[in-house]
Coordinates of all heavy atoms in Angstrom, one line a residue:
M20 N 0.8 -1.2 0.0 CA 0.0 0.0 0.0 C 0.9 1.2 0.0 O 1.8 1.3 0.7 CB -0.9 0.0 1.2 CG -2.2 0.8 1.0 SD -3.4 0.4 2.3 CE -3.4 1.8 3.3
V21 N 0.5 2.1 -0.8 CA 1.3 3.4 -1.0 C 0.6 4.5 -0.1 O -0.6 4.7 -0.3 CB 1.5 3.8 -2.4 CG1 2.3 5.1 -2.5 CG2 2.2 2.8 -3.1
F22 N 1.3 5.2 0.7 CA 0.8 6.3 1.5 C 0.9 7.6 0.6 O 1.9 8.0 0.3 CB 1.5 6.5 2.8 CG 1.0 7.6 3.6 CD1 -0.3 7.6 4.2 CD2 1.8 8.8 3.7 CE1 -0.7 8.7 4.9 CE2 1.3 9.9 4.5 CZ 0.0 9.8 5.1
L23 N -0.2 8.2 0.4 CA -0.1 9.5 -0.2 C -0.6 10.7 0.7 O -1.7 10.6 1.2 CB -1.0 9.5 -1.4 CG -0.6 8.8 -2.6 CD1 -1.6 8.7 -3.7 CD2 0.7 9.4 -3.2
A24 N 0.3 11.6 1.0 CA -0.1 12.7 1.9 C -1.2 13.5 1.1 O -1.1 13.7 -0.1 CB 1.1 13.6 2.2
R25 N -2.1 14.0 1.9 CA -3.1 14.9 1.3 C -2.5 16.3 1.1 O -2.3 17.0 1.9 CB -4.3 15.0 2.2 CG -5.2 13.7 2.1 CD -6.3 13.8 3.1 NE -7.1 15.0 2.8 CZ -8.3 14.9 2.0 NH1 -8.5 13.8 1.5 NH2 -8.9 16.0 1.8
Q26 N -2.3 16.6 -0.2 CA -1.8 17.9 -0.6 C -2.6 18.4 -1.7 O -2.4 18.3 -2.9 CB -0.3 17.8 -1.0 CG 0.7 17.6 0.1 CD 0.9 18.8 1.0 OE1 0.2 19.8 0.8 NE2 1.6 18.6 2.0
E27 N -3.8 19.0 -1.3 CA -4.7 19.4 -2.3 C -5.0 20.9 -2.1 O -5.1 21.4 -1.0 CB -6.1 18.7 -2.2 CG -6.0 17.2 -2.5 CD -7.2 16.4 -2.0 OE1 -8.1 17.1 -1.4 OE2 -7.2 15.2 -2.2
P28 N -5.1 21.6 -3.3 CA -5.5 23.0 -3.2 C -6.9 23.1 -2.5 O -7.7 22.3 -2.8 CB -5.5 23.5 -4.6 CG -5.6 22.3 -5.4 CD -5.0 21.1 -4.6
F29 N -7.2 24.2 -1.8 CA -8.5 24.5 -1.3 C -8.9 26.0 -1.4 O -8.0 26.8 -1.6 CB -8.7 23.9 0.0 CG -7.8 24.5 1.1 CD1 -8.2 25.5 1.9 CD2 -6.5 24.0 1.3 CE1 -7.4 26.2 2.9 CE2 -5.7 24.7 2.3 CZ -6.2 25.7 3.1
V30 N -10.1 26.2 -1.2 CA -10.6 27.6 -1.1 C -10.9 27.9 0.2 O -11.7 27.2 0.9 CB -11.8 27.8 -2.1 CG1 -12.3 29.2 -1.9 CG2 -11.4 27.6 -3.5
C31 N -10.3 28.9 0.8 CA -10.5 29.3 2.2 C -12.1 29.8 2.4 O -12.5 30.6 1.6 CB -9.7 30.5 2.6 SG -9.9 31.2 4.2
E32 N -12.6 29.2 3.4 CA -14.1 29.4 3.6 C -14.3 30.7 4.4 O -15.4 31.1 4.6 CB -14.7 28.2 4.4 CG -14.8 27.0 3.6 CD -15.4 25.8 4.3 OE1 -16.2 26.1 5.2 OE2 -15.0 24.7 4.0
H33 N -13.2 31.4 4.8 CA -13.3 32.6 5.6 C -13.0 33.8 4.6 O -13.9 34.7 4.6 CB -12.3 32.7 6.7 CG -12.4 33.8 7.6 ND1 -11.4 34.9 7.6 CD2 -13.5 34.3 8.4 CE1 -11.9 35.9 8.4 NE2 -12.9 35.6 8.8
C34 N -12.0 33.8 3.9 CA -11.7 34.9 3.0 C -11.8 34.7 1.5 O -11.8 35.6 0.8 CB -10.3 35.5 3.4 SG -9.0 34.5 2.8
G35 N -12.1 33.4 1.2 CA -12.3 33.1 -0.3 C -11.1 33.0 -1.0 O -11.1 32.8 -2.3
S36 N -9.8 33.0 -0.4 CA -8.7 32.8 -1.2 C -8.4 31.5 -1.7 O -8.8 30.5 -1.0 CB -7.4 33.2 -0.4 OG -7.3 34.5 0.0
A37 N -7.9 31.3 -2.9 CA -7.4 30.0 -3.4 C -6.2 29.7 -2.9 O -5.2 30.4 -3.1 CB -7.5 30.0 -5.0
V38 N -6.0 28.6 -2.1 CA -4.8 28.3 -1.4 C -4.1 27.1 -2.0 O -4.7 25.9 -2.2 CB -5.0 27.9 0.1 CG1 -3.9 27.6 0.8 CG2 -5.8 29.1 0.8
A39 N -2.9 27.3 -2.5 CA -2.1 26.2 -3.1 C -1.3 25.4 -2.1 O -1.0 25.9 -1.0 CB -1.1 26.8 -4.1
P40 N -1.2 24.1 -2.3 CA -0.5 23.3 -1.3 C 1.0 23.7 -1.2 O 1.5 24.3 -2.2 CB -0.6 21.8 -1.8 CG -1.0 22.0 -3.3 CD -1.7 23.3 -3.5
L41 N 1.6 23.4 -0.1 CA 3.1 23.7 0.1 C 3.9 22.7 -0.6 O 3.4 21.5 -0.8 CB 3.4 23.7 1.6 CG 3.0 24.9 2.4 CD1 3.2 24.6 3.9 CD2 3.7 26.1 2.0
E42 N 5.1 23.0 -0.9 CA 5.9 22.1 -1.5 C 6.9 21.5 -0.5 O 6.7 21.7 0.7 CB 6.9 22.9 -2.5 CG 6.3 23.4 -3.7 CD 7.1 24.1 -4.6 OE1 8.4 24.1 -4.4 OE2 6.6 24.9 -5.5
K43 N 7.6 20.5 -0.9 CA 8.5 19.8 0.0 C 7.9 19.1 1.3 O 8.4 19.0 2.4 CB 9.6 20.6 0.5 CG 10.5 21.1 -0.6 CD 11.6 22.0 -0.1 CE 12.4 22.6 -1.3 NZ 13.0 23.8 -1.1
G44 N 6.7 18.5 1.1 CA 6.0 17.7 2.0 C 5.5 18.4 3.3 O 5.0 17.8 4.2
S45 N 5.6 19.7 3.3 CA 5.0 20.4 4.5 C 3.5 20.3 4.4 O 2.9 20.4 3.4 CB 5.5 21.9 4.4 OG 6.8 22.0 4.6
Y46 N 2.9 20.3 5.5 CA 1.5 20.1 5.6 C 0.9 21.4 6.0 O 1.1 22.0 7.0 CB 1.1 19.0 6.8 CG -0.3 18.9 7.0 CD1 -1.1 18.3 6.1 CD2 -0.9 19.4 8.2 CE1 -2.5 18.1 6.3 CE2 -2.3 19.2 8.4 CZ -3.0 18.6 7.4 OH -4.4 18.5 7.6
R47 N -0.1 21.8 5.0 CA -0.8 23.1 5.3 C -2.2 22.8 5.7 O -2.9 22.2 5.0 CB -0.7 24.0 4.0 CG -1.2 25.3 4.3 CD -1.7 26.0 3.1 NE -0.8 26.3 2.0 CZ 0.1 27.3 2.0 NH1 0.2 28.1 3.0 NH2 0.9 27.5 0.9
N48 N -2.7 23.4 6.8 CA -4.0 23.2 7.2 C -4.7 24.5 7.5 O -5.8 24.5 8.1 CB -4.1 22.3 8.4 CG -3.5 22.9 9.7 OD1 -2.9 24.0 9.5 ND2 -3.7 22.3 10.8
H49 N -4.1 25.6 7.1 CA -4.8 26.9 7.3 C -4.5 27.8 6.2 O -3.5 27.6 5.4 CB -4.5 27.5 8.6 CG -3.0 27.7 8.9 ND1 -2.2 26.8 9.5 CD2 -2.2 28.8 8.6 CE1 -1.0 27.3 9.6 NE2 -1.0 28.4 9.0
C50 N -5.3 28.9 6.1 CA -5.1 29.8 5.0 C -4.0 30.8 5.3 O -3.9 31.3 6.3 CB -6.4 30.7 4.9 SG -6.4 32.0 3.7
P51 N -3.0 31.0 4.3 CA -1.9 31.8 4.6 C -2.2 33.2 4.6 O -1.5 34.1 5.1 CB -0.9 31.5 3.4 CG -1.8 31.0 2.3 CD -3.0 30.3 3.0
R52 N -3.4 33.7 4.1 CA -3.8 35.0 4.0 C -4.5 35.5 5.3 O -4.2 36.6 5.8 CB -4.7 35.2 2.7 CG -4.7 36.7 2.4 CD -5.3 36.8 1.0 NE -6.2 37.9 0.8 CZ -7.1 38.0 -0.1 NH1 -7.1 37.1 -1.1 NH2 -7.9 38.9 -0.2
C53 N -5.5 34.8 5.7 CA -6.2 35.2 7.0 C -5.9 34.3 8.2 O -6.3 34.6 9.2 CB -7.7 35.2 6.7 SG -8.4 33.6 6.4
L54 N -5.2 33.3 7.9 CA -4.8 32.3 8.9 C -5.9 31.4 9.5 O -5.8 30.7 10.5 CB -4.0 33.0 10.1 CG -2.7 33.7 9.7 CD1 -2.0 34.3 10.9 CD2 -1.7 32.8 9.0
W55 N -7.1 31.6 9.0 CA -8.2 30.7 9.5 C -8.1 29.3 9.1 O -7.4 29.0 8.0 CB -9.6 31.3 8.9 CG -10.1 32.4 9.8 CD1 -9.4 33.7 9.9 CD2 -11.3 32.6 10.6 NE1 -10.2 34.5 10.7 CE2 -11.3 33.9 11.1 CE3 -12.3 31.7 10.9 CZ2 -12.3 34.3 11.9 CZ3 -13.3 32.1 11.6 CH2 -13.4 33.5 12.2
S56 N -8.5 28.4 9.8 CA -8.4 27.0 9.6 C -9.8 26.3 9.6 O -10.8 27.0 9.8 CB -7.4 26.3 10.6 OG -7.3 25.0 10.3
K57 N -9.8 25.1 9.6 CA -11.1 24.3 9.6 C -10.9 23.2 10.6 O -9.9 22.5 10.5 CB -11.6 23.8 8.2 CG -13.0 23.5 8.2 CD -13.5 23.1 6.7 CE -14.9 22.7 6.7 NZ -15.3 22.2 5.5
H58 N -12.0 22.9 11.4 CA -11.9 21.9 12.5 C -12.1 20.4 11.8 O -13.2 20.0 11.8 CB -12.8 22.1 13.6 CG -12.6 21.2 14.7 ND1 -13.4 21.3 15.8 CD2 -11.6 20.4 15.0 CE1 -13.0 20.4 16.8 NE2 -11.9 19.9 16.2
V59 N -11.0 19.9 11.4 CA -11.1 18.5 10.7 C -10.2 17.6 11.6 O -10.4 16.3 11.4 CB -10.7 18.5 9.2 CG1 -11.7 19.2 8.4 CG2 -9.3 19.1 9.1
D60 N -9.2 18.1 12.4 CA -8.4 17.3 13.2 C -8.9 17.1 14.6 O -9.4 18.1 15.1 CB -6.9 17.7 13.2 CG -6.4 17.8 11.7 OD1 -6.8 17.0 10.9 OD2 -5.6 18.7 11.5
D61 N -8.8 15.9 15.1 CA -9.2 15.8 16.5 C -8.2 15.9 17.5 O -8.0 16.7 18.3 CB -10.0 14.4 16.6 CG -10.6 14.2 17.9 OD1 -10.9 15.3 18.6 OD2 -10.9 13.1 18.3
I62 N -7.2 14.8 17.5 CA -6.1 14.8 18.4 C -4.8 15.6 17.9 O -4.2 16.4 18.7 CB -5.8 13.4 18.7 CG1 -7.0 12.7 19.4 CG2 -4.6 13.3 19.7 CD1 -6.9 11.2 19.5
G63 N -4.4 15.3 16.7 CA -3.3 15.9 16.2 C -3.4 16.5 14.8 O -4.4 16.1 14.1
P64 N -2.5 17.4 14.4 CA -2.5 17.9 13.0 C -2.6 16.8 11.9 O -1.7 15.9 12.0 CB -1.4 18.8 12.9 CG -1.0 19.1 14.3 CD -1.4 17.9 15.1
G65 N -3.6 16.8 11.0 CA -3.5 15.8 10.0 C -4.3 14.5 10.2 O -4.4 13.7 9.3
D66 N -4.8 14.4 11.5 CA -5.5 13.0 11.6 C -7.0 13.0 11.0 O -7.4 11.9 10.9 CB -5.4 12.6 13.1 CG -6.4 13.5 14.0 OD1 -7.2 14.2 13.5 OD2 -6.2 13.6 15.3
R67 N -7.4 14.1 10.8 CA -8.8 14.2 10.1 C -9.9 13.4 10.8 O -10.8 12.9 10.2 CB -8.6 13.6 8.6 CG -7.8 14.4 7.7 CD -8.5 15.6 7.1 NE -7.7 16.2 6.0 CZ -7.2 17.4 6.1 NH1 -7.2 18.0 7.2 NH2 -6.6 17.9 5.0
A68 N -9.8 13.4 12.1 CA -10.7 12.5 12.9 C -11.9 13.3 13.5 O -12.8 12.6 13.9 CB -9.9 11.9 14.1
S69 N -11.9 14.5 13.3 CA -13.0 15.3 13.8 C -14.1 15.5 12.9 O -14.0 15.6 11.7 CB -12.5 16.8 14.2 OG -13.7 17.5 14.7
L70 N -15.4 15.3 13.4 CA -16.5 15.4 12.6 C -17.2 16.8 12.7 O -18.1 17.2 12.2 CB -17.6 14.4 13.0 CG -17.2 12.9 12.9 CD1 -18.2 12.0 13.5 CD2 -16.9 12.6 11.5
C71 N -16.4 17.7 13.4 CA -17.0 19.0 13.7 C -17.2 19.9 12.4 O -18.3 20.3 12.1 CB -16.1 19.9 14.6 SG -16.6 21.5 15.0
G72 N -16.0 20.1 11.7 CA -16.0 20.9 10.4 C -16.3 22.4 10.6 O -16.5 23.1 9.6
G73 N -16.2 22.9 11.9 CA -16.4 24.3 12.1 C -15.2 25.1 11.6 O -14.1 24.5 11.5
L74 N -15.4 26.4 11.3 CA -14.2 27.2 11.0 C -13.4 27.6 12.3 O -14.0 27.7 13.4 CB -14.7 28.5 10.3 CG -15.2 28.4 8.9 CD1 -15.5 29.7 8.4 CD2 -14.1 27.8 8.1
M75 N -12.1 27.6 12.2 CA -11.3 27.9 13.3 C -10.6 29.2 13.2 O -9.9 29.5 12.2 CB -10.2 26.8 13.5 CG -10.9 25.3 13.7 SD -9.8 24.1 14.3 CE -9.7 24.5 16.0
E76 N -10.8 30.0 14.2 CA -10.3 31.4 14.3 C -8.9 31.4 14.8 O -8.7 30.8 15.8 CB -11.2 32.3 15.1 CG -10.8 33.7 15.2 CD -11.7 34.5 16.0 OE1 -12.5 33.9 16.7 OE2 -11.6 35.7 16.0
P77 N -7.9 32.2 14.2 CA -6.6 32.3 14.8 C -6.7 33.2 15.9 O -7.0 34.4 15.8 CB -5.7 32.8 13.6 CG -6.7 33.5 12.8 CD -8.0 32.8 12.9
V78 N -6.3 32.8 17.2 CA -6.5 33.6 18.3 C -5.2 34.1 19.0 O -5.2 35.0 19.7 CB -7.5 33.0 19.4 CG1 -8.9 32.8 18.9 CG2 -6.9 31.6 19.8
H79 N -4.1 33.4 18.6 CA -2.9 33.8 19.3 C -1.7 33.2 18.6 O -1.7 32.3 17.9 CB -2.9 33.0 20.6 CG -1.8 33.4 21.5 ND1 -1.7 34.7 22.1 CD2 -0.9 32.6 22.2 CE1 -0.6 34.7 22.9 NE2 -0.1 33.5 22.9
L80 N -0.6 34.0 18.5 CA 0.6 33.6 18.0 C 1.7 33.3 19.1 O 1.7 34.1 20.1 CB 1.2 34.6 17.1 CG 0.7 34.6 15.6 CD1 1.2 35.8 14.9 CD2 1.0 33.3 14.9
D81 N 2.5 32.3 19.1 CA 3.3 31.9 20.1 C 4.7 31.5 19.4 O 4.6 30.8 18.4 CB 2.8 30.7 20.8 CG 3.0 31.0 22.3 OD1 3.6 31.9 22.7 OD2 2.6 30.0 23.1
Y82 N 5.8 31.9 20.0 CA 7.1 31.3 19.4 C 7.6 30.2 20.2 O 7.8 30.2 21.5 CB 8.1 32.4 19.4 CG 9.3 32.0 18.7 CD1 9.3 32.0 17.3 CD2 10.5 31.6 19.3 CE1 10.4 31.6 16.6 CE2 11.6 31.2 18.5 CZ 11.6 31.2 17.2 OH 12.6 30.8 16.4
D83 N 7.8 29.0 19.6 CA 8.3 27.8 20.1 C 9.7 27.6 19.7 O 10.0 27.8 18.6 CB 7.4 26.6 19.7 CG 7.9 25.3 20.4 OD1 9.0 24.8 20.1 OD2 7.1 24.7 21.1
G84 N 10.7 27.5 20.7 CA 12.1 27.3 20.4 C 12.4 26.2 19.4 O 13.3 26.4 18.6
K85 N 11.7 25.2 19.3 CA 11.9 24.1 18.4 C 11.1 24.2 17.2 O 11.7 24.0 16.1 CB 11.6 22.8 19.1 CG 12.7 22.3 20.1 CD 12.4 21.0 20.7 CE 13.4 20.5 21.7 NZ 12.8 19.6 22.6
K86 N 9.9 24.6 17.3 CA 9.0 24.5 16.1 C 8.8 25.9 15.4 O 8.3 25.9 14.3 CB 7.6 24.0 16.4 CG 7.6 22.5 17.0 CD 6.3 22.3 17.5 CE 6.3 20.9 18.3 NZ 5.0 20.7 19.0
G87 N 9.3 26.9 16.0 CA 9.1 28.2 15.4 C 7.8 28.9 15.7 O 7.3 28.4 16.8
W88 N 7.3 29.7 14.9 CA 6.0 30.3 15.3 C 4.8 29.4 15.1 O 4.7 28.7 14.1 CB 5.8 31.5 14.3 CG 6.6 32.7 14.6 CD1 7.7 33.1 14.1 CD2 6.3 33.7 15.8 NE1 8.2 34.2 14.7 CE2 7.4 34.5 15.7 CE3 5.3 33.7 16.7 CZ2 7.4 35.6 16.7 CZ3 5.3 34.8 17.6 CH2 6.4 35.8 17.6
M89 N 4.0 29.3 16.2 CA 2.8 28.5 16.3 C 1.6 29.4 16.3 O 1.6 30.4 17.0 CB 2.8 27.6 17.5 CG 4.1 26.8 17.6 SD 4.1 25.4 16.5 CE 2.8 24.3 17.1
V90 N 0.6 29.1 15.6 CA -0.7 29.7 15.6 C -1.7 28.9 16.4 O -1.9 27.7 16.1 CB -1.2 30.2 14.3 CG1 -1.4 29.1 13.4 CG2 -2.5 31.0 14.3
L91 N -2.4 29.6 17.3 CA -3.4 28.8 18.1 C -4.8 29.1 17.4 O -5.2 30.2 17.4 CB -3.3 29.2 19.5 CG -4.3 28.5 20.4 CD1 -3.8 27.0 20.7 CD2 -4.4 29.1 21.8
H92 N -5.4 28.0 17.0 CA -6.7 28.1 16.4 C -7.8 27.6 17.4 O -7.6 26.8 18.1 CB -6.8 27.2 15.3 CG -6.0 27.7 14.0 ND1 -5.0 27.0 13.4 CD2 -6.3 28.8 13.3 CE1 -4.6 27.7 12.4 NE2 -5.3 28.8 12.3
R93 N -8.9 28.5 17.4 CA -10.1 28.1 18.3 C -11.3 27.9 17.4 O -11.6 28.8 16.6 CB -10.3 29.2 19.3 CG -11.5 28.8 20.3 CD -11.7 29.7 21.4 NE -11.9 31.0 21.0 CZ -11.5 32.2 21.6 NH1 -10.9 32.1 22.7 NH2 -11.8 33.4 21.1
C94 N -11.9 26.8 17.5 CA -13.1 26.5 16.8 C -14.2 27.3 17.1 O -14.6 27.5 18.3 CB -13.4 24.9 16.9 SG -14.8 24.5 15.9
T95 N -14.8 27.9 16.0 CA -16.0 28.9 16.3 C -17.3 28.1 16.6 O -18.3 28.6 17.0 CB -16.2 29.7 15.1 OG1 -16.5 29.0 14.0 CG2 -15.1 30.7 14.8
V96 N -17.3 26.7 16.5 CA -18.4 25.9 16.7 C -18.4 25.3 18.0 O -19.2 25.4 18.9 CB -18.6 24.9 15.6 CG1 -19.7 23.8 16.0 CG2 -18.8 25.5 14.2
C97 N -17.3 24.5 18.3 CA -17.2 23.8 19.5 C -16.2 24.3 20.6 O -16.2 23.9 21.7 CB -16.9 22.3 19.2 SG -15.1 22.1 18.7
G98 N -15.3 25.3 20.2 CA -14.5 25.9 21.1 C -13.1 25.3 21.4 O -12.4 25.7 22.1
K99 N -12.9 24.1 20.7 CA -11.7 23.5 20.8 C -10.5 24.3 20.3 O -10.7 25.0 19.4 CB -11.8 22.1 20.1 CG -10.5 21.3 20.2 CD -10.6 19.9 19.5 CE -9.4 19.1 19.6 NZ -9.2 18.4 20.9
T100 N -9.4 24.3 21.0 CA -8.2 25.0 20.6 C -7.1 23.9 20.2 O -6.9 23.0 20.8 CB -7.7 25.9 21.6 OG1 -7.4 25.2 22.8 CG2 -8.6 27.1 21.9
I101 N -6.5 24.3 19.0 CA -5.4 23.4 18.5 C -4.2 24.3 18.1 O -4.4 25.2 17.3 CB -5.9 22.6 17.3 CG1 -7.1 21.7 17.7 CG2 -4.7 21.7 16.8 CD1 -7.7 20.9 16.6
P102 N -3.0 24.0 18.6 CA -1.8 24.8 18.1 C -1.3 24.2 16.7 O -1.4 22.9 16.5 CB -0.8 24.6 19.1 CG -1.1 23.3 19.8 CD -2.7 23.1 19.6
N103 N -1.0 25.1 15.8 CA -0.5 24.6 14.5 C 0.7 25.4 14.1 O 0.9 26.6 14.4 CB -1.5 24.9 13.4 CG -2.6 23.9 13.5 OD1 -2.5 22.7 13.1 ND2 -3.9 24.4 13.8
K104 N 1.6 24.7 13.4 CA 2.9 25.3 12.8 C 2.5 26.3 11.8 O 1.5 26.0 11.0 CB 3.8 24.3 12.3 CG 4.8 23.9 13.2 CD 6.0 23.2 12.5 CE 5.9 21.8 12.1 NZ 7.1 21.2 11.6
T105 N 3.2 27.4 11.7 CA 2.9 28.4 10.6 C 3.8 27.9 9.4 O 4.7 27.2 9.5 CB 3.3 29.8 11.0 OG1 4.6 29.8 11.4 CG2 2.5 30.4 12.1
A106 N 3.3 28.3 8.2 CA 4.0 28.1 7.0 C 4.8 29.3 6.6 O 4.6 30.4 7.1 CB 3.0 27.7 5.8
P107 N 5.9 29.1 5.8 CA 6.8 30.2 5.4 C 6.1 31.4 4.7 O 6.5 32.5 4.9 CB 7.8 29.5 4.4 CG 7.7 28.0 4.7 CD 6.3 27.7 5.2
D108 N 4.9 31.1 4.2 CA 4.3 32.2 3.4 C 3.0 32.7 4.1 O 2.3 33.4 3.5 CB 3.9 31.8 2.0 CG 3.0 30.5 1.9 OD1 2.8 29.9 3.0 OD2 2.5 30.2 0.8
D109 N 2.9 32.3 5.4 CA 1.8 32.8 6.2 C 2.0 34.3 6.4 O 3.0 34.8 6.6 CB 1.7 32.1 7.6 CG 1.0 30.7 7.4 OD1 0.6 30.4 6.4 OD2 1.0 30.1 8.4
D110 N 0.8 34.9 6.3 CA 0.7 36.4 6.6 C 0.6 36.6 8.1 O -0.5 36.5 8.7 CB -0.4 37.1 5.9 CG -0.4 38.6 6.2 OD1 0.5 39.1 6.9 OD2 -1.3 39.3 5.6
M111 N 1.7 36.7 8.7 CA 1.8 36.9 10.3 C 1.0 38.1 10.8 O 0.7 38.1 12.0 CB 3.2 36.8 10.8 CG 3.9 35.5 10.3 SD 3.4 34.1 11.0 CE 4.5 34.1 12.6
T112 N 0.9 39.0 10.0 CA 0.2 40.2 10.5 C -1.4 40.1 10.4 O -2.1 41.1 10.8 CB 0.6 41.5 9.6 OG1 0.2 41.3 8.3 CG2 2.1 41.6 9.7
A113 N -2.0 39.0 9.9 CA -3.3 38.9 9.7 C -4.0 39.0 11.0 O -5.1 39.4 11.1 CB -3.6 37.6 9.0
L114 N -3.3 38.6 12.1 CA -4.1 38.5 13.4 C -4.4 39.9 14.0 O -5.4 40.1 14.6 CB -3.1 37.8 14.5 CG -3.3 36.4 14.7 CD1 -2.4 35.9 15.8 CD2 -4.8 36.1 15.0
S115 N -3.6 40.9 13.6 CA -3.8 42.2 14.1 C -4.5 43.2 13.2 O -4.7 44.3 13.4 CB -2.3 42.8 14.4 OG -1.5 42.8 13.3
K116 N -5.0 42.6 12.1 CA -5.7 43.4 11.1 C -7.2 43.6 11.4 O -7.9 44.3 10.8 CB -5.6 42.8 9.8 CG -4.3 43.1 9.0 CD -4.3 42.5 7.6 CE -3.0 42.6 6.9 NZ -2.8 41.7 5.8
E117 N -7.7 42.8 12.3 CA -9.2 42.7 12.6 C -9.7 44.2 12.9 O -9.1 44.8 13.7 CB -9.4 41.8 13.8 CG -9.1 40.4 13.5 CD -10.1 39.7 12.6 OE1 -11.3 39.9 12.8 OE2 -9.7 38.9 11.7
Ligands
ZN203 ZN1 -8.5 32.9 4.3
ZN204 ZN1 -15.1 22.3 16.3

C-alpha cells in the first residue's frame, strides 16, 4: 500500500482565497492570508478524525524554540483549541488586522 499525503488546493471558507499546497512535504492546514483553519483534526494535525467541520479562528501567535511560530486556532463551533505550525508564506500580520 502506498501512502499519499493529502496535498490538495482548497478555497478558504473565511476569506475566499484559493490556497495552493506547500512544496517539500510540508502540511498546510490553514489559509496563509487570513490564517483561519477548519476543524477537521481531532487529536493531532492531519489526523482528520474530527466530525466538527467548524471554522477555526486564529486567536494567538506563540514562538516555540523548536517549532518556530505557532498559531493557536479556536473552533468557532465547539470551542476546541489546536496549536499549528505556521507556513513560510503565512501572513503573520493577519491577526492584528481585525
Ligand atoms: Zn483565508
Ligand atoms: Zn469544532
Side-chain angles (χ1 to χ4, degrees):
M20 204 161 108
V21 179
F22 176 74
L23 288 175
R25 283 176 61 90
Q26 288 286 358
E27 295 165 357
F29 63 95
V30 174
C31 174
E32 292 181 29
H33 182 248
C34 71
S36 288
V38 180
L41 283 171
E42 293 176 12
K43 295 182 183 153
S45 298
Y46 174 70
R47 190 202 295 282
N48 68 351
H49 57 268
C50 173
R52 199 163 136 198
C53 67
L54 300 184
W55 280 61
S56 185
K57 199 176 175 188
H58 191 184
V59 291
D60 297 333
D61 187 21
I62 296 168
D66 67 19
R67 296 279 193 252
S69 175
L70 300 175
C71 177
L74 285 181
M75 300 193 78
E76 182 182 11
V78 289
H79 188 65
L80 276 174
D81 220 2
Y82 190 77
D83 182 295
K85 281 184 183 155
K86 299 175 189 167
W88 283 100
M89 305 286 291
V90 56
L91 186 70
H92 285 117
R93 183 171 59 211
C94 182
T95 55
V96 174
C97 71
K99 185 178 174 75
T100 55
I101 301 178
N103 284 292
K104 266 203 274 190
T105 55
D108 59 351
D109 279 355
D110 184 357
M111 305 287 275
T112 64
L114 267 185
S115 51
K116 275 182 190 164
E117 295 284 317

